[in-house]
Amino acid sequence: MILAAAVVFAACNAVDHVANTNTKPVTQSPDTVYADGARRVTIDELEAMMKDGTAFVVDVRNQASFDLGHIPGSRLIPAGEILNHINELPRNKTIVTYCS
């Protein structure tokens, strides 16, 4: 439970900026390792996982931000409440969190 919360908080505070002057999308190689140890997924990967039902998407922002817009099908669980909902997270899917 603590590991899941740590991943959520670290991912929410991680900022990945890449200076790119061309119009091609920036893709990450699968072997990119981040300090928090959490795997990143691309938009294409997320769409595929949501389509085949292997992803559980969690929006860890607050209710007001969620109401302004969110990924369709995502579940709102604010970061500070993750531990209160840990038993609601599926064990047979990839849990993808986002905060912006």
Side-chain angles (χ1 to χ4, degrees):
M1 292 187 321
I2 293 171
L3 178 61
V7 169
V8 169
F9 290 125
C12 210
N13 291 323
V15 178
D16 300 325
H17 294 284
V18 176
N20 188 359
T21 57
N22 64 28
T23 58
K24 294 180 183 178
V26 176
T27 57
Q28 299 171 171
S29 85
D31 53 353
T32 300
V33 177
Y34 293 91
D36 61 11
R39 180 172 85 88
R40 286 5 185 220
V41 296
T42 65
I43 293 171
D44 292 335
E45 288 175 308
L46 179 58
E47 287 176 345
M49 290 190 304
M50 290 179 74
K51 184 177 181 179
D52 68 16
T54 59
F56 184 79
V57 183
V58 180
D59 186 325
V60 296
R61 301 173 300 160
N62 61 34
Q63 183 71 53
S65 296
F66 184 82
D67 291 344
L68 288 173
H70 57 273
I71 296 173
S74 64
R75 169 90 187 273
L76 174 64
I77 304 176
E81 297 178 22
I82 288 286
L83 292 178
N84 297 333
H85 298 272
I86 202 78
N87 292 330
E88 298 168 28
L89 300 176
R91 298 191 184 275
N92 62 342
K93 295 184 179 189
T94 300
I95 299 170
V96 180
T97 62
Y98 75 96
C99 57
S100 59

